[in-house]
Amino acid sequence: MGGNRRRGEFREALKRLKEAYSLALFHREDELFPFLRDSVIQRFEIAVELMWKAVRERLIEEGIECRSPKGCVRAFFEGGFVDGETAGKLLKLIDLRNLTSRTYNQEVAQELFEEVGRFLKALEQVEELINKSSQL
């Protein structure tokens, strides 16, 4: 029950992140871009937070306990849900999320926006895996 709720919340957050990212790319050369970029960053923070919580709840269903975002990603890898490359990307996403929640300036915002585009696929893969594996 809880896991399904978190998975649904993560799915919706990821959908909203992709929408915001696409819109920001479309407006990259106009005055709306800084606002849209900041929206992407906020949606990214939410999506990463919900990602690790959905992973944690999926792991609990398997009898695997974890307490922290990185600990849950490592357990997700050790449980065979994701490969090492994807786990590394997820750990990087958590680091980026931590950076945005503690520091904010235009340069960091732009770097993060670029990183979001590179890591969207990893978030999509997690969403697919936690839903597919729970249906087995």
Side-chain angles (χ1 to χ4, degrees), residues 103-121:
T103 307
Y104 192 85
N105 65 48
Q106 295 299 316
E107 191 174 299
V108 170
Q110 189 58 38
E111 289 175 22
L112 179 61
F113 178 79
E114 301 301 331
E115 292 291 318
V116 167
R118 286 191 275 277
F119 289 110
L120 269 174
K121 197 72 165 163

Side-chain angles (χ1 to χ4, degrees), residues 27-71:
H27 289 281
R28 193 171 197 138
E29 300 301 321
D30 64 44
E31 70 279 353
L32 283 176
F33 179 72
F35 171 77
L36 294 170
R37 180 197 59 209
D38 294 350
S39 296
V40 168
I41 292 168
Q42 184 66 51
R43 290 179 186 268
F44 167 78
E45 291 173 356
I46 294 166
V48 171
E49 183 70 16
L50 289 170
M51 176 272 298
W52 87 262
K53 289 179 178 179
V55 164
R56 179 182 63 197
E57 290 185 345
R58 179 65 189 100
L59 290 170
I60 288 170
E61 291 174 2
E62 296 294 321
I64 302 168
E65 291 289 327
C66 62
R67 299 194 190 288
S68 69
K70 287 185 174 185

